[in-house]
Amino acid sequence: MSTTSYIFVAGASRGVGQEIAKYLTAQQIQVKALLRTEVAAKELEAIGVHPILGDALNVDDVERAILGDEPIQAVISTLGGLPTDDVKPDYLGNKNLIDAAVKAGVQRFILVTSIGSGDSAVSMPPQALATLKPVLILKEQAEQYLINSGLNYTIIRPGGLKSEPATNNGILTTDPRIVGSIHRADVAQLVCRCLNSDHAHHQVLSALDRNMIYPGLPEFVEFSLG
C-alpha cells in the first residue's frame, strides 16, 4: 500500500479541470486524472499528472481509478458535457464519482458546476436560463446528490468563463443573486484554495471576478476562506 495520497481530478482534459491539474502539479501536489483519450493522457502526463484512462460514465472505470491501493485525499470534478455528447456526464458521471468516493472513504469532494444551477437560477437572464436549462437541471441533480451523500463537500458555481490568464481577482460568495464572469485560471485557484480551507466545508459558492460582476446587482458579502 502506497502512503502517497493523491488529489483526483475529473474533467482535466480541458477548461477549468486542466487549469486545476496545472495549478496543483506546480505546487508539487500528486494528481491523478481520469481521461478518456490517450492524447489527453500524454498531455497531462507531461506536466506531472498520473493519468488513468477511463470514462466517468462507466462505473467500473471510476471504481478502478478511485478504489485503488493509493489513497485519494480529495476528488475534484469539473465534469461537463459538450454539445456533441449523446449522454452528458453532468449528473451521471458525477454520481459515479460521488458513489466511488463514498466507498473509498474520501475526505473531500469539490464539485464545479455553474451559476444558474439550483437557487442561483434567479441571477440569470430568462433567455440564457431557457437555453441552458437542460444542462443546468443535470448540474443541480449532481449538486443535490453530493449534498445528500454524506461527503464533506464544496460546490463552486463559476460565472461566465473566459480563457485568458489569471487576474488574481477571483472571489467567492454565498449570495445566489450575484452573476458575472471569471477566467478559468482564477476558478482553478479558488478551487485549490478551498481544498485547504475548513471554511469551505459544506458550502455552495458562486465564483466571480470582482471586476467582472454585472452592474446593478445588490450589495453582497465576499466569502472568506480564512
Side-chain angles (χ1 to χ4, degrees):
M1 172 95 176
S2 163
T3 54
T4 305
S5 68
Y6 287 83
I7 306 295
F8 187 90
V9 183
S13 63
R14 60 189 171 88
V16 173
Q18 191 173 80
E19 293 292 340
I20 290 167
K22 287 177 184 171
Y23 190 88
L24 291 171
T25 52
Q27 295 181 60
Q28 311 301 311
I29 293 168
Q30 297 286 329
V31 177
K32 279 188 181 181
L34 184 66
L35 300 156
R36 283 191 293 182
T37 68
E38 290 275 4
V39 174
K42 284 193 169 67
E43 193 178 330
L44 285 166
E45 202 167 22
I47 62 164
V49 172
H50 179 80
I52 300 169
L53 278 176
D55 190 327
L57 291 170
N58 183 314
V59 173
D60 290 342
D61 286 356
V62 173
E63 292 198 342
R64 178 172 49 81
I66 292 180
L67 299 175
D69 288 341
E70 295 158 326
I72 303 292
Q73 180 188 335
V75 174
I76 300 172
S77 175
T78 66
L79 284 182
L82 293 166
T84 50
D85 291 340
D86 291 333
V87 180
K88 293 189 172 22
D90 300 72
Y91 172 61
L92 283 176
N94 281 314
K95 178 184 182 295
N96 291 340
L97 289 167
I98 292 161
D99 288 342
V102 170
K103 273 191 188 179
V106 169
Q107 297 302 306
R108 292 278 277 120
F109 197 111
I110 298 180
L111 175 63
V112 179
T113 58
S114 173
I115 285 182
S117 181
D119 61 355
S120 66
V122 297
S123 71
M124 297 280 283
Q127 195 175 351
L129 196 60
T131 304
L132 297 169
K133 194 167 185 181
V135 169
L136 292 174
I137 287 169
L138 298 177
K139 289 186 184 300
E140 183 177 357
Q141 287 174 336
E143 290 181 358
Q144 286 304 318
Y145 195 80
L146 176 56
I147 288 166
N148 296 329
S149 69
L151 289 168
N152 180 355
Y153 68 86
T154 307
I155 292 165
I156 296 179
R157 298 167 172 167
L161 292 166
K162 297 174 177 285
S163 293
E164 289 86 351
T167 66
N168 301 312
N169 288 319
I171 59 162
L172 298 167
T173 181
T174 57
D175 192 328
R177 301 170 299 171
I178 308 306
V179 68
S181 301
I182 186 169
H183 294 187
R184 288 177 171 85
D186 289 303
V187 179
Q189 283 185 19
L190 291 170
V191 168
C192 296
R193 285 179 59 208
C194 284
L195 267 179
N196 300 313
S197 170
D198 293 347
H199 294 220
H201 294 179
H202 302 102
Q203 295 288 341
V204 181
L205 302 164
S206 295
L208 303 147
D209 188 299
R210 71 172 76 252
N211 297 327
M212 299 184 206
I213 291 165
Y214 295 166
L217 293 172
E219 290 289 314
F220 69 97
V221 177
E222 280 186 35
F223 183 82
S224 171
L225 292 171

